[in-house]
Amino acid sequence: MPRIGQCRRLVNGTHDEDGGRALSLIYLYNRIIEKDKFLVWIK
């Protein structure tokens, strides 16, 4: 049983690919410097 505030759900391949593309755009347009702290807000 999931803990309070957590959930689990299977993701189909299309949604997984879409999420990966969105994440790659975050890294592309928000350069990451080694050991530089940053936050990513996902709606």
Side-chain angles (χ1 to χ4, degrees):
M1 191 153 113
R3 295 180 183 181
I4 295 173
Q6 296 179 348
C7 63
R8 296 181 187 144
R9 184 176 179 185
L10 293 175
V11 178
N12 70 30
T14 302
H15 288 149
D16 189 38
E17 287 179 22
D18 291 345
R21 284 189 196 101
L23 185 59
S24 70
L25 291 175
I26 290 171
Y27 290 128
L28 178 64
Y29 293 111
N30 298 284
R31 300 237 175 208
I32 306 302
I33 300 171
E34 187 175 339
K35 297 184 182 179
D36 186 28
K37 295 181 181 182
F38 68 98
L39 295 174
V40 177
W41 297 96
I42 300 175
K43 291 183 178 183

